């Protein structure tokens, strides 16, 4: 009886564990089919936020834009993802919104890239903030299509044929009771030879 009860409790616990996006999953999906992974179609809930999931959705929506404009897809890069995520987290923690920040050693995009091992490289950074009031996929489409693609500088970064790799990072926060997020993209030309 105790063994049966333990199995029952483990099954209940497993049912309530949210899906966790991992770096290995980037190889399983593309911009064409990423929404086949059901959690992308769930609303962003403040009780169960998955920043990694939104970061992946932004990555895929960026590649959707590139392919629709005749460009190759960017490859996922873990170090760029860490760089982007950390900048978004710093913008939330230190309450600023800029490519330059107050955090020692991380004031500029070049400083932040150096921290993850990239120096003297061709790179760019996009930032944005918005409400997280829809599904993960819809929130990602909004930031990429409506914010970045409608801004000349951000659009230029997304559609540059020079970049090969991309990392996306988000951090959530509340503004007057509304769940918001700050997003960062780091683009990089990486020698792939």
């Amino acid at each position: 009886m105790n063994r049966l009860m333990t199995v029952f409790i483990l099954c209940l616990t497993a049912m309530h564990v949210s899906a966790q996006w991992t770096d290995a999953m980037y190889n399983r999906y593309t911009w064409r089919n990423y929404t086949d992974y059901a959690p992308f179609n769930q609303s962003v809930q403040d009780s169960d936020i998955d920043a990694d999931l939104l970061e992946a959705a932004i990555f895929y929506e960026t590649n959707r834009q590139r392919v629709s404009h005749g460009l190759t897809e960017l490859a996922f890069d873990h170090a760029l993802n860490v760089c982007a995520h950390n900048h978004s987290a710093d913008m939330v923690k230190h309450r600023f919104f800029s490519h330059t920040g107050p955090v020692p050693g991380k004031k500029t995009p070049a400083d932040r890239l150096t921290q993850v091992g990239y120096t003297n490289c061709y790179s760019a950074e996009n930032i944005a903030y918005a409400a997280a009031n829809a599904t993960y996929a819809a929130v990602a489409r909004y930031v990429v299509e409506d914010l970045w693609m409608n801004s000349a500088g951000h659009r230029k970064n997304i559609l540059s044929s020079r970049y090969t790799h991309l990392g996306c990072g988000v951090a959530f926060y509340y503004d007057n009771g509304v769940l918001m997020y700050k997003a960062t993209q780091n683009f990089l030309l990486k020698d792939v030879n």
Side-chain angles (χ1 to χ4, degrees), residues 158-175:
I158 290 172
L159 298 182
S160 173
S161 60
R162 291 195 64 188
Y163 300 119
T164 57
H165 290 74
L166 173 66
C168 304
V170 300
F172 292 90
Y173 65 104
Y174 285 94
D175 186 8

Side-chain angles (χ1 to χ4, degrees), residues 18-57:
S18 65
Q20 293 296 313
W21 184 264
T22 64
D23 286 358
M25 297 171 84
Y26 280 94
N27 293 327
R28 288 190 217 161
Y29 299 94
T30 70
W31 62 269
R32 287 182 180 94
N33 69 354
Y34 83 94
T35 56
D36 290 349
Y37 184 63
F40 284 115
N41 305 305
Q42 296 173 356
S43 292
V44 179
Q45 299 289 326
D46 57 357
S47 60
D48 189 25
I49 295 171
D50 189 340
D52 295 330
L53 197 63
L54 183 54
E55 291 168 357

Side-chain angles (χ1 to χ4, degrees), residues 58 126-128 143-144 147-151 154-155 158 185:
I58 292 170
N126 284 347
I127 58 174
V143 72
V144 174
L147 298 182
W148 285 329
M149 289 300 288
N150 287 316
S151 164
H154 298 104
R155 178 185 178 92
I158 290 172
Q185 288 185 306

Side-chain angles (χ1 to χ4, degrees), residues 72-149:
T72 59
E73 294 179 44
L74 296 170
F76 169 77
D77 184 275
H78 175 76
L80 292 176
N81 224 64
V82 169
C83 184
H85 179 85
N86 289 346
H87 185 57
S88 293
D90 284 341
M91 287 192 294
V92 168
K93 180 179 178 182
H94 299 285
R95 297 179 183 195
F96 72 96
F97 181 71
S98 176
H99 294 287
T100 57
V103 183
K106 298 194 284 183
K107 292 186 180 205
T108 68
D111 292 341
R112 295 187 289 275
L113 287 170
T114 297
Q115 287 197 330
V116 297
Y118 293 123
T119 57
N120 300 319
C121 49
Y122 188 77
S123 64
E125 182 178 84
N126 284 347
I127 58 174
Y129 68 93
N133 56 1
T135 66
Y136 285 91
V139 168
R141 272 191 301 277
Y142 174 75
V143 72
V144 174
E145 289 180 16
D146 295 338
L147 298 182
W148 285 329
M149 289 300 288

